[in-house]
Structure formats: structure tokens, C-alpha cells
Amino acid sequence: MSTYKVIDNQMAQKLLIKRRQQSMTLSDMAKETNVTRDILSHIERGKKQVVQARVFGSLISWLSKED
């Protein structure tokens, strides 16, 4: 299993949309996902696409969680 995963623009957009729909700050999301605020910010802005598998898994889990 690869230790790195790619977050495409579509996934980054989904993260941003869900965060905004829930009126969450990046800091709130960081606490829920256990991913740093800086990494989340870079992902949302399309500045970071390659992340550790742990980060990717955490974000996928957060996205699939019911509101």
C-alpha cells in the first residue's frame, strides 16, 4: 500500500463545500479530522495534492460521515 495519496480538485472542492455548509472554520475541521489547519488550507486552495495515506483516509472518512 502506498504511503501517499493524491487529492484531486474534485475532492478538495467537496471538502470545502462540506466545511462551509457546516459553518466550520479550518480549525474546527482540523480538530475533527486530526489534520493540521495548514494542510487543510493548502488542500482547499489546490496547493497540496499529495498527502500521507493517513491524512487521505481521515478526510475520506470525514466526507462520508453524515452531517
Side-chain angles (χ1 to χ4, degrees):
M1 184 169 147
S2 174
T3 55
Y4 294 96
K5 300 285 184 184
V6 175
I7 294 180
D8 62 16
N9 290 336
Q10 185 179 10
M11 182 176 168
Q13 197 67 15
K14 286 179 182 180
L15 290 165
L16 175 63
I17 289 167
K18 181 172 181 176
R19 181 176 67 79
R20 287 185 176 167
Q21 285 175 338
Q22 294 186 0
S23 301
M24 295 177 79
T25 65
L26 281 170
S27 295
D28 294 335
M29 187 177 168
K31 289 175 190 168
E32 278 200 19
T33 61
N34 200 29
V35 176
T36 69
R37 186 193 165 286
D38 287 342
I39 289 175
L40 292 172
S41 175
H42 281 77
I43 289 169
E44 284 186 357
R45 291 183 288 135
K47 305 279 186 195
K48 184 166 190 72
Q49 292 183 312
V50 179
V51 296
Q52 292 179 355
R54 179 200 65 79
V55 170
F56 186 87
S58 182
L59 295 176
I60 289 290
S61 178
W62 183 79
L63 273 176
S64 64
K65 194 169 67 171
E66 293 297 319
D67 294 338

